[in-house]
Amino acid sequence: MSLTPHVQTARLALRRFTLADLPFLQRLHADEQVMRYCGGTIDPATSEAILHERILDYYESNPGLGIWATTLRATGACVGMHLLNHMHGESLIQVGYILAAEAWGRGYASEMAAAVLRHGFATLGLPRIVAITDPGNLASQRVLLKSGLQHHGERSFAHPRYASGPFSWFYRDADDWLAEHPQAQANTSPST
């Protein structure tokens, strides 16, 4: 049984991260420009801990959810990550992404975020998907809106990971999203 979602677009595909991806993850986390709105840079040891605890271990305990490597279908090259997972300390399921700077400006973030929303609503049957972003990150807010989420003001969270809040708060309920995308259920195959 595969726990990796069969999520792809015309240009992109998701795959599970592996231990071999640690150098890519460490480079991504060390880039100040990339991590500006993601809580700041992360040292190599913490990146390794995240890979094990928040990424690899999470796959087995949460089928269909996770943080996946976003790859170019044409070459297999990893350009970042997209996620559909639990927010720290919350039962809420969030969509999110981090892309390497060289992949910016090509529409990859919103293209795959929309596909991840489809996976969450049509394949997994999630009742609601949320997202947060730094209020100053206007580009990310545009991506979230373009991918199909709706802005609902600002919100703070108790977990220390979100101490820099409040954050711009986005969400979409399944009934609303599915009514807008009736073809989604007919075109989705199971991911497990």
Side-chain angles (χ1 to χ4, degrees):
M1 174 184 294
S2 172
L3 299 177
T4 304
H6 301 290
V7 178
Q8 61 184 19
T9 66
R11 302 183 295 167
L12 305 170
L14 297 183
R15 68 163 173 78
R16 280 186 171 197
F17 274 103
T18 69
L19 292 175
D21 292 309
L22 180 59
F24 172 80
L25 195 62
Q26 289 172 327
R27 280 193 307 276
L28 197 66
H29 285 161
D31 187 321
E32 290 181 13
Q33 186 179 9
V34 169
M35 298 301 291
R36 176 180 176 195
Y37 293 116
C38 299
T41 59
I42 298 172
D43 66 76
T46 303
S47 289
E48 185 171 7
I50 288 170
L51 177 62
H52 287 283
E53 298 163 15
R54 185 79 172 149
I55 300 176
L56 300 178
D57 293 350
Y58 189 87
Y59 292 140
E60 302 305 323
S61 58
N62 297 277
L65 299 176
I67 299 173
W68 305 286
T70 306
T71 62
L72 299 177
R73 288 182 65 188
T75 64
C78 188
V79 294
M81 65 175 72
H82 274 75
L83 60 89
L84 187 65
N85 67 359
H86 291 88
M87 292 183 69
H88 292 277
E90 300 283 340
S91 62
L92 300 167
I93 303 293
Q94 67 179 340
V95 65
Y97 62 90
I98 300 176
L99 293 179
E102 60 270 16
W104 291 2
R106 298 179 187 183
Y108 294 158
S110 53
E111 179 180 327
M112 185 52 79
V116 170
L117 283 176
R118 177 184 303 270
H119 169 68
F121 288 135
T123 304
L124 300 180
L126 297 174
R128 174 179 280 183
I129 298 174
V130 307
I132 60 172
T133 186
D134 185 288
N137 191 348
L138 300 180
S140 188
Q141 291 175 42
R142 285 190 297 273
V143 165
L144 295 174
L145 291 169
K146 186 175 181 180
S147 68
L149 294 177
Q150 296 172 336
H151 187 245
H152 294 276
E154 291 189 349
R155 182 168 172 185
S156 296
F157 298 90
H159 194 279
R161 176 72 175 87
Y162 308 116
S164 65
F167 296 92
S168 291
W169 171 238
F170 297 78
Y171 67 81
R172 193 76 183 264
D173 290 326
D175 292 343
D176 184 34
W177 189 91
L178 290 167
E180 195 173 289
H181 301 89
Q183 75 287 359
Q185 289 181 311
N187 296 333
T188 304
S189 59
S191 66
T192 55

